[in-house]
Amino acid sequence: MYRLYHVPLSPFCRKVRLTLAEKRIEVELVEERYWEGSSEFLKRNPAAKVPILRVDGRNLPESSAICEYLEETHPEPPLMPQSAVGRYEVRRLVGWFDDKFHTEVTSKLLYERINKKIQNSGYPDSGRIKEGSKAIRFHLDYMAWLLEQRRWLAGDMLTLADFAAAAHLSALDYRSDVDWNRQQGVKDWYAKIKSRPAFRSILADQVPGFTPPPHYADLDF
Amino acid sequence: MYRLYHVPLSPFCRKVRLTLAEKRIEVELVEERYWEGSSEFLKRNPAAKVPILRVDGRNLPESSAICEYLEETHPEPPLMPQSAVGRYEVRRLVGWFDDKFHTEVTSKLLYERINKKIQNSGYPDSGRIKEGSKAIRFHLDYMAWLLEQRRWLAGDMLTLADFAAAAHLSALDYRSDVDWNRQQGVKDWYAKIKSRPAFRSILADQVPGFTPPPHYADLDF
């Protein structure tokens, strides 16, 4: 049995949860308030971050390394294509969302509005929120451009790149930070991914003090 | 023939250069002043970052995705172990250096002292430099702890994890920001990696306006 230390709205944790669920790997979810830095938690992970996957008595941090590990140990269904170029493209896009999108959008919207309150670490910075609201438009347009040429973000098949993107967007959607009317192609892609069984646990998340909008869990949003 | 768009002191570019050189892949290096954001460059890479590897007319950004691509297309000599757990550990450590070490150390020392001057983007922030100088000690101690149990950072063989770490440390060493006397184990590891032929081009780097200390290129530092 696997155990995942996580927080519900973390896009990095959601990416791992989606990967586990898509591969039908049973997992026990344990919420970890990592910002409180308990010594028990720091022992599990000196980087003091979530997610951490507990496997056979080992604690594995680092979401992308975890997903590649799950892909290698549970190859069915595959979430990476066969060709080196195809695999490159998946990794490039995972990097795009977990690095660039995270810095420009997620950290400026989700972290300012929700994490700061939960972690009791100050008030939202309206300048950063404005930057994030502007930046997400560019990213939605970029995704739409990719999806004009491809069925999924990295090509013909569903991959880790789609889960990385959906993890960020679903967390932002919990606070209505995604304008689904901006790009029909992105909305169609999200509707497709949202209706997968792997997405159910994410749509059922509840964060005390924050009620998601009705469209959050609605498959016909 | 491969072409790499890079800047000399970028740890992400150095990681790719080391990987190319170790695999004896010939490459043309082209310096790219990415912060000037020429439209030609943005066309090559909408993320506006280096490195970019040009292969068969395609521009590939994202250093970790590039290194995995090179590992898959040029498997000799291998820079990843065979087992899934071993590969996980390499990826975890690459993430450790490119994310945590980068945020806590490289961005606070190298970027404050050198990048700001080269990019003409303000004066070094002494508070950040102090934080970086403090944080690097924790990282050197962590590396020493790993190297007490292992020949190389991720295990028995030289891997991408060693190149990721050496890329950051070598860039910091250009400005004498690494205290090599702190941990003998780390110094021994760096001496070993520094003497590899793959390291030569890195040790020959010259950044106008900044002269490296004599020990920078000295194999008996």
Side-chain angles (χ1 to χ4, degrees):
Chain A
M1 176 67 146
Y2 289 43
R3 183 186 296 162
L4 187 73
Y5 296 97
H6 83 122
V7 293
L9 290 185
S10 154
F12 303 104
C13 298
R14 287 185 163 208
K15 183 179 63 177
V16 174
R17 287 164 69 194
L18 289 168
T19 303
L20 286 161
E22 186 74 19
K23 292 180 176 290
R24 294 194 189 80
I25 302 169
E26 262 196 84
V27 64
E28 176 198 3
L29 293 178
V30 176
E31 213 175 313
E32 180 66 63
R33 298 170 70 84
Y34 62 92
W35 55 92
E36 292 173 355
S38 78
S39 61
E40 192 51 44
F41 177 62
L42 288 174
K43 221 187 326 179
R44 278 198 287 278
N45 174 15
K49 290 192 304 187
V50 285
I52 298 179
L53 185 67
R54 188 162 177 87
V55 184
D56 302 333
R58 288 171 58 110
N59 292 309
L60 313 183
E62 200 66 43
S63 70
S64 289
I66 296 172
C67 289
E68 296 254 10
Y69 172 80
L70 293 172
E71 178 68 13
E72 294 186 358
T73 52
H74 297 77
E76 292 301 325
L79 291 172
M80 290 279 265
Q82 290 286 327
S83 75
V85 169
R87 298 159 73 80
Y88 161 80
E89 183 65 358
V90 172
R91 293 179 177 126
R92 177 185 77 82
L93 285 168
V94 171
W96 175 283
F97 287 100
D98 284 351
D99 181 8
K100 188 174 172 69
F101 187 96
H102 174 256
T103 305
E104 296 177 359
V105 181
T106 311
S107 73
K108 293 186 176 174
L109 295 176
L110 186 72
Y111 295 1
E112 288 297 329
R113 282 178 166 148
I114 298 194
N115 293 31
K116 273 190 169 174
K117 183 150 183 205
I118 296 177
Q119 301 177 14
N120 206 2
S121 60
Y123 293 100
D125 177 330
S126 62
R128 282 174 55 79
I129 289 175
K130 207 174 279 177
E131 287 166 12
S133 306
K134 197 176 154 194
I136 193 173
R137 290 180 217 142
F138 159 76
H139 283 279
L140 292 173
D141 294 351
Y142 179 60
M143 289 175 72
W145 178 77
L146 289 175
L147 291 165
E148 270 169 32
Q149 311 154 60
R150 304 168 173 181
R151 241 183 105 214
W152 296 96
L153 283 174
D156 278 346
M157 62 183 277
L158 172 80
T159 67
L160 293 175
D162 298 287
F163 283 164
H168 283 272
L169 288 178
S170 65
L172 289 163
D173 196 37
Y174 193 88
R175 204 38 198 73
S176 292
D177 274 328
V178 184
D179 173 7
W180 294 114
N181 292 322
R182 184 174 177 86
Q183 289 286 358
Q184 188 62 40
V186 177
K187 189 177 180 179
D188 293 345
W189 163 86
Y190 192 62
K192 225 167 29 170
I193 206 165
K194 200 175 179 178
S195 64
R196 296 184 86 80
F199 229 79
R200 272 182 214 146
S201 129
I202 298 243
L203 298 180
D205 278 340
Q206 292 288 344
V207 180
F210 296 91
T211 310
H215 78 259
Y216 173 76
D218 185 356
L219 299 185
D220 290 317
F221 57 110
Chain B
M1 177 69 148
Y2 289 44
R3 184 187 295 162
L4 187 73
Y5 297 95
H6 83 124
V7 292
L9 291 184
S10 153
F12 302 104
C13 298
R14 287 185 162 206
K15 182 179 64 177
V16 175
R17 287 165 69 195
L18 289 168
T19 304
L20 287 162
E22 187 74 19
K23 291 181 177 290
R24 294 195 189 79
I25 303 169
E26 262 196 83
V27 65
E28 175 198 3
L29 292 179
V30 176
E31 213 174 313
E32 180 66 63
R33 299 170 70 83
Y34 62 91
W35 55 92
E36 292 173 355
S38 78
S39 62
E40 192 51 44
F41 177 63
L42 289 174
K43 222 188 326 180
R44 278 198 288 277
N45 174 15
K49 290 193 303 187
V50 286
I52 299 177
L53 185 68
R54 187 162 177 87
V55 184
D56 302 333
R58 288 171 58 109
N59 293 309
L60 313 184
E62 200 66 44
S63 70
S64 289
I66 296 172
C67 289
E68 297 253 11
Y69 173 79
L70 293 172
E71 178 69 12
E72 294 187 357
T73 52
H74 298 76
E76 292 300 326
L79 290 173
M80 289 281 264
Q82 290 286 325
S83 76
V85 170
R87 297 160 74 80
Y88 161 79
E89 182 65 357
V90 172
R91 291 179 178 127
R92 177 186 77 82
L93 285 168
V94 170
W96 176 282
F97 287 100
D98 285 351
D99 181 8
K100 188 174 171 70
F101 187 96
H102 175 257
T103 304
E104 295 177 358
V105 181
T106 311
S107 73
K108 293 187 176 173
L109 295 175
L110 187 72
Y111 294 1
E112 288 296 329
R113 283 177 165 149
I114 298 193
N115 292 31
K116 273 191 170 174
K117 182 149 181 209
I118 295 178
Q119 302 178 13
N120 206 3
S121 60
Y123 294 100
D125 177 330
S126 62
R128 281 175 54 80
I129 289 175
K130 206 174 279 176
E131 287 167 12
S133 307
K134 196 175 156 196
I136 193 174
R137 292 181 215 141
F138 159 76
H139 283 279
L140 292 173
D141 294 351
Y142 179 60
M143 290 175 71
W145 177 78
L146 290 175
L147 291 165
E148 271 168 31
Q149 312 156 58
R150 302 168 174 183
R151 240 184 106 214
W152 295 96
L153 283 174
D156 278 345
M157 63 181 278
L158 172 80
T159 66
L160 294 174
D162 298 286
F163 282 164
H168 283 272
L169 288 178
S170 65
L172 290 163
D173 196 36
Y174 193 89
R175 205 36 198 74
S176 292
D177 274 329
V178 185
D179 174 7
W180 294 114
N181 292 321
R182 184 175 178 88
Q183 289 286 359
Q184 187 63 40
V186 177
K187 189 177 180 179
D188 292 345
W189 163 85
Y190 192 61
K192 224 168 31 170
I193 206 165
K194 200 176 179 179
S195 64
R196 296 183 87 80
F199 229 79
R200 272 182 214 147
S201 128
I202 297 239
L203 298 180
D205 278 342
Q206 293 288 343
V207 180
F210 297 91
T211 311
H215 78 258
Y216 173 75
D218 185 356
L219 299 184
D220 291 317
F221 57 109

